[in-house]
Amino acid sequence: MMIGGLHISNVSHAFTAGCPVLNGVSVFVAPGELVCLLGPSGCGKTTLLRVAAGLEVLQVGQVRVGERIVAEGRHGVHVPPEKRGIGLMFQDYALFPHLTVLENITFGLNHAPQRRKWASEALTRMGLEAYAGVYPHILSGGEQQRVALLRALAPEPQVLLLDEPFSGLDVTRRASIRAETLGLLKETGVATLMVTHDPEEAMFMADRILVMNDGRVIQDGTPVETYFEPATAFVAALFGPVNRLRGVVRGGHVATPLGTFDATGFKDDTAVEILIRPEGLRLARPGETPEVRAGDVPCKPAPVSGRASRRAPIRAVSARPLGRSSHVVLRVPDGDGQALTIEARVPGVFLPQPGVEVQVTVNPRQAHVFPA
Ligand SMILES: Nc1ncnc2c1ncn2[C@@H]1O[C@H](COP(=O)(O)OP(=O)(O)O)[C@@H](O)[C@H]1O
Ligand SMILES: [Mg+2]
């Protein structure tokens, strides 16, 4: 059986001897699948795409498009970029200024009248039918981006590589262009590998997210897995600010000033770090019933030193409205006379005055325990 898609196997790459930028990276993208490479700037994302595209000569490993080997390190196979069946759209894509929008898309498709029909229909679908005959310079950034995408898709590549394709767009247009792009890619059935450093974009677009750091893939999972089951503290922190607590494991649990969390699998006396996302806290005023869901960890404030019966309350430090949610900073007594500062992000308007007591519960799915 033919297995299509993009297969990158054990690719390593160094621009300077001894300083590898990619370290044994393997990626598989099935036909019709959209995989996002997510990672901080400089971790090797663009280099991996350039190696797959053939813009860099592969040093170690193998790249296949379907069954066809297009690059192999040891044997020196190097199929040139235009013969790989790979469409590219990189950050600095440039349309041909002297060709119209439609000519840009159909450039090089001499004997494919049905692709011209596809190009006209796709322009309509993207809301660009009025621009078919104009030159690219009159288009906005978002419109040019969509034309470049159609140009990459026009020759019906088996594989599409996108490097930060939405980074040049303003925030208001980005969301709708992402959605249109996603719809179009899903219709074509192309195997898409897309680079982004924006975790929200990766969550929105991806069937699978590959998290990269320092030239290695450190996690490969669905967006929900990557967000709720981060493999390392690095992955957890990639999705936004996190509260970091410390503790020591006793009997499969770790006690913190914010409550006691499950630490199954850790040996007693292991020092651990507990990362809690701001959106993992639920808050209520004293006397109000907090919205507790099954499995929530109630935060009993730490006992005041030496007097287990008296607990210092958690209090608001500040609270700011964010529109759909509120950002609340809390002071959590640690039981030793000190206090931790914790950030919460809660739905709706929840704006306690500074100093007001707040009841806290934690969604355990948003609390992640890692070795310290
Ligand atoms: N042509 C090059 N020559 C030398 N070093 C390079 C070259 N291209 C990229 N690098 C280095 O490789 C590392 C990874 O770069 P890159 O793949 O562009 O990362 P990312 O796309 O994840 O931001 C960086 O340290 C970068 O400086
Ligand atoms: Mg890059």
Side-chain angles (χ1 to χ4, degrees):
M1 197 182 84
M2 277 284 282
I3 304 164
L6 173 67
H7 306 250
I8 297 173
S9 312
N10 274 311
V11 164
S12 295
H13 200 84
F15 292 103
T16 321
C19 296
V21 165
L22 298 173
N23 255 307
V25 174
S26 295
V27 177
F28 168 60
V29 189
E33 192 180 31
L34 195 154
V35 172
C36 276
L37 280 178
L38 175 66
S41 180
C43 74
K45 305 180 297 294
T46 295
T47 303
L48 185 66
L49 288 201
R50 289 179 57 84
V51 165
L55 300 172
E56 300 287 343
V57 174
L58 179 65
Q59 297 169 350
V60 178
Q62 189 192 65
V63 179
R64 278 190 294 133
V65 174
E67 301 284 276
R68 192 160 72 106
I69 296 171
V70 295
E72 193 153 48
R74 255 176 328 125
H75 304 298
V77 178
H78 180 81
V79 175
E82 66 279 9
K83 301 231 163 81
R84 292 193 176 193
I86 290 180
L88 303 179
M89 194 182 124
F90 282 11
Q91 246 165 319
D92 53 357
Y93 68 85
L95 298 172
F96 304 120
H98 58 292
L99 298 181
T100 66
V101 163
L102 189 60
E103 286 165 352
N104 259 280
I105 297 171
T106 57
F107 183 78
L109 303 177
N110 298 330
H111 304 291
Q114 71 280 19
R115 293 312 281 165
R116 288 167 195 281
K117 185 161 169 283
W118 173 88
S120 304
E121 285 168 6
L123 273 175
T124 304
R125 195 166 155 186
M126 289 286 209
L128 295 170
E129 66 274 25
Y131 297 127
V134 309
Y135 290 90
H137 69 270
I138 72 154
L139 303 184
S140 71
E143 289 158 354
Q144 292 190 20
Q145 186 274 353
R146 280 175 284 167
V147 174
L149 180 72
L150 296 180
R151 181 176 65 177
L153 287 171
E156 293 185 277
Q158 281 177 270
V159 171
L160 181 65
L161 304 176
L162 303 175
D163 193 353
E164 313 246 2
F166 310 111
S167 61
L169 306 180
D170 62 275
V171 186
T172 46
R173 289 292 288 127
R174 206 181 295 167
S176 64
I177 292 175
R178 266 184 209 156
E180 283 165 13
T181 302
L182 186 60
L184 187 74
L185 295 178
K186 287 294 162 189
E187 272 176 26
T188 62
V190 66
T192 306
L193 183 59
M194 176 179 134
V195 160
T196 178
H197 64 267
D198 176 352
E200 201 176 284
E201 184 162 292
M203 296 274 291
F204 181 88
M205 297 290 287
D207 297 305
R208 258 187 314 130
I209 295 177
L210 299 195
V211 181
M212 272 184 76
N213 194 25
D214 277 344
R216 291 174 203 278
V217 174
I218 51 177
Q219 186 161 5
D220 175 350
T222 65
V224 170
E225 281 163 4
T226 314
Y227 182 80
F228 284 107
E229 294 160 39
T232 65
F234 172 85
V235 178
L238 204 59
F239 287 86
V242 282
N243 296 296
R244 290 172 190 265
L245 307 174
R246 290 190 169 261
V248 174
V249 176
R250 296 262 186 273
H253 288 87
V254 53
T256 78
L258 266 182
T260 297
F261 297 95
D262 183 38
T264 308
F266 288 94
K267 289 205 181 81
D268 270 7
D269 300 324
T270 308
V272 290
E273 189 178 31
I274 304 98
L275 273 60
I276 301 175
R277 300 191 196 283
E279 57 271 34
L281 300 171
R282 300 197 231 277
L283 308 184
R285 292 189 175 79
E288 284 177 2
T289 319
E291 187 212 351
V292 177
R293 302 194 198 155
D296 274 10
V297 175
C299 301
K300 291 215 183 77
V304 175
S305 290
R307 297 180 61 183
S309 58
R310 254 195 68 204
R311 292 172 183 276
I314 298 174
R315 294 187 187 280
V317 174
S318 67
R320 310 298 306 164
L322 296 171
R324 271 165 296 178
S325 61
S326 304
H327 180 260
V328 184
V329 178
L330 301 165
R331 193 169 179 280
V332 180
D334 70 356
D336 293 328
Q338 305 291 310
L340 306 171
T341 302
I342 296 289
E343 273 182 59
R345 186 186 270 253
V346 294
V349 179
F350 182 87
L351 302 170
Q353 289 296 314
V356 165
E357 192 178 333
V358 177
Q359 300 185 74
V360 180
T361 57
V362 177
N363 173 0
R365 287 194 82 195
Q366 301 265 30
H368 308 286
V369 181
F370 299 105

